[in-house]
Amino acid sequence: MNLSGVLFFPVTPFDAGGGLAEEVLAEHISQRMEHGPGAVFAACGTGEFSALSEAEHARAVRVAAEAVGGRVPVFAGAGGPLGVALNQARAAKEAGADGLLLMPPYLAQGPGHGYTAYVSAIASVLPVIIYQRGTVVLEPDTVVELAGVPGVIGLKDGLGDIDRMQRTVLAVRERFPGFLFFNGLPTAELTMPAYRGIGVELYSSAVFAFAPEIAKAYLNGDERLLTEFYAPLVRLRGKVSGYPVSLVKAGVRLRGLDVGGVRPPLVNVTDQHLEELEALIKTGLELAAS
């Protein structure tokens, strides 16, 4: 599967009663499709994957697939207990998704071959990109083994250990040259120079969800944005746990689409931080337009 450009992770809108706002989700995705993302990853981390019921997850993926209409690949989040992950995978396939971003399983941990069996079961339903973060910290040899599992097509790195990733990229590409690697750190643009240095070009852009003009300007080489937009955004993101999601959702609201707030245990952005975010978006948009 060939992916290129900015990878779009939409937020999951909620209505005034706290339920899934399907029409707003469709509008959110349709608006961003006009800016040419390379793929859409629905109901994943930015989409509050861990806060959705299985039924909401399935509906969100269906809405995403219908809004995209086959123009680019659609991936759905999946993970947690094996039975839940399989249900999510099957529902995503029925909804029209092309693949899965596999979140780490929770609480229960086993040896490497146990995780390989977990991945293999889910990859039998749809192609899988493994998400390395949290409890999933993989040695290069393990990733080589996983890359040989039918249906496993890539690894998204949410750790930021460049030494480990360099060794992993070298080991895997020696045997599986088409295997995909992604920078999956929050606000990935800030670390892309380092990832590009080890041969990883793909990345997920949280900023694309609320300011695609900024994300595309950076992709086109405007490195002023690193100093004047992305670095301050990362500092703001670090002020409160959960802001990697809350700030994105607040940014979408600031750009004119009412996607509601976040679900607990995440918290909404404070008024003071919302003002800071609004100022940063203004600066970023001015730079992108200049």
Side-chain angles (χ1 to χ4, degrees):
M1 189 179 297
N2 292 322
L3 300 179
S4 61
V6 179
L7 306 180
F8 170 36
F9 284 65
V11 302
T12 299
F14 301 126
D15 59 27
L20 180 66
E22 296 183 28
E23 292 183 2
V24 181
L25 176 58
E27 183 177 357
H28 175 45
I29 293 172
S30 296
Q31 287 178 356
R32 297 299 172 258
M33 286 301 298
E34 295 175 3
H35 295 269
V40 175
F41 286 71
C44 292
T46 303
E48 296 181 75
F49 164 80
S50 61
L52 301 177
S53 69
E54 286 187 31
E56 288 173 328
H57 175 277
R59 296 205 310 273
V61 175
R62 184 176 297 279
V63 168
E66 291 175 352
V68 170
R71 288 173 285 179
V72 298
V74 174
F75 288 80
L82 179 58
V84 172
L86 286 170
N87 285 345
Q88 291 165 336
R90 292 169 186 139
K93 182 177 182 179
E94 184 178 342
D98 301 289
L100 304 168
L101 177 62
L102 187 57
M103 307 294 186
Y106 302 114
L107 298 180
Q109 296 184 45
H113 61 274
Y115 179 68
T116 299
Y118 172 84
V119 173
S120 298
I122 299 163
S124 68
V125 181
L126 275 175
V128 160
I129 296 168
I130 297 162
Y131 197 176
Q132 176 173 245
R133 61 175 295 181
T135 58
V136 175
V137 181
L138 304 170
E139 294 298 324
D141 289 348
T142 303
V143 183
V144 172
E145 179 184 355
L146 288 164
V149 172
V152 177
I153 63 171
L155 174 72
K156 179 181 177 181
D157 179 53
L159 297 179
D161 184 336
I162 295 296
D163 175 82
R164 180 188 298 272
M165 275 299 291
Q166 177 69 94
R167 290 183 287 113
T168 299
V169 169
L170 291 173
V172 172
R173 284 187 174 158
E174 184 176 0
R175 291 186 54 189
F176 303 99
F179 194 76
L180 302 172
F181 288 98
F182 306 77
N183 173 359
L185 292 175
T187 319
E189 285 89 345
L190 196 62
T191 53
M192 275 315 295
Y195 276 86
R196 288 192 178 106
I198 62 170
V200 177
E201 295 290 338
L202 293 170
Y203 65 96
S204 54
S205 175
V207 170
F208 188 89
F210 63 86
E213 306 94 330
I214 298 173
K216 294 297 288 290
Y218 169 77
L219 186 67
N220 292 332
D222 191 344
E223 295 192 356
R224 299 173 301 166
L225 290 162
L226 290 178
T227 300
E228 300 185 47
F229 174 77
Y230 285 107
L233 181 64
V234 168
R235 289 195 292 270
L236 178 58
R237 188 194 73 207
K239 291 183 178 182
V240 177
S241 179
Y243 264 17
V245 175
S246 301
L247 282 175
V248 177
K249 211 161 195 182
V252 177
R253 292 196 304 272
L254 285 171
R255 296 301 305 280
L257 187 63
D258 185 4
V259 291
V262 294
R263 283 180 174 173
L266 300 180
V267 297
N268 290 314
V269 175
T270 67
D271 290 342
Q272 177 184 342
H273 293 159
L274 194 63
E275 291 178 5
E276 293 181 40
L277 178 61
E278 188 171 22
L280 279 175
I281 293 173
K282 180 181 179 182
T283 297
L285 290 173
E286 289 173 350
L287 286 170
S290 66

